[in-house]
Amino acid sequence: ETGVTQSPTHLIKTRGQQVTLRCSSQSGHNTVSWYQQALGQGPQFIFQYYREEENGRGNFPPRFSGLQFPNYSSELNVNALELDDSALYLCASSLGGASTDTQYFGPGTRLTVL
Amino acid sequence: TQLLEQSPQFLSIQEGENLTVYCNSSSVFSSLQWYRQEPGEGPVLLVTVVTGGEVKKLKRLTFQFGDARKDSSLHITAAQTGDTGLYLCAGVDDYKLSFGAGTTVTVRA
């Protein structure tokens, strides 16, 4: 059984560009959550997808969008990148979207915006 | 803005010493979780506490949940260098986790 994987590991972009980050869920998990972790901070919830539908969203602007595919892998897209978007982006998969379902985190993608 | 406040922000101790990390919330969550995160990795769940006054022990780690379910603590006995890492508490609310800023623990050999 493979755990949660994310790609790429590191990414450097410039302001105004667009970026797509990818996440493969743990086997059997149908829910993916995305978090942004700025340096020296805890992760902040961006949104969650359950069976290809957005299940909830945190306090992030619409230029942060996502997709979940039939195999339950997921993408996070960020448009019009800003310097403050520099962070570690984590995805976490779980069996379901309930509060009692444990979230398993991937290693993250480190995004640097110059 | 973090709903959960963790203290201290940094902690450096000698191997064999004890340490306690605190997590205080302005809100009541359905449960509270503690994670450890190492450099280059995602957070790994250590424990979930649900009931006010609950105490859970995992080997040398003891977790307490306050009676009002708004504060929690993590106590490590006889710390080892392998305990080094970022310790995060997170409030569980429906589908999302709300994390504190974390406590960076360094255990020196």
Side-chain angles (χ1 to χ4, degrees), chain A residues 35 37 41-44 48 99 106, chain B residues 2 37 42 94-95 97 99-100:
Chain A
Y35 293 83
Q37 186 175 20
Q41 298 295 316
Q44 298 282 320
Q48 183 184 84
S99 60
Chain B
Q2 314 276 169
Q37 184 178 20
D94 285 335
Y95 49 82
L97 302 174
F99 284 88

Side-chain angles (χ1 to χ4, degrees), chain A residues 16 23 26 44 48 51 55 63 69 73 82 102 106:
Chain A
C23 172
Q26 188 163 314
Q44 298 282 320
Q48 183 184 84
R51 295 191 174 187
N55 189 43
R63 58 190 186 84
F69 301 99
S73 65
E82 301 177 359
T102 299

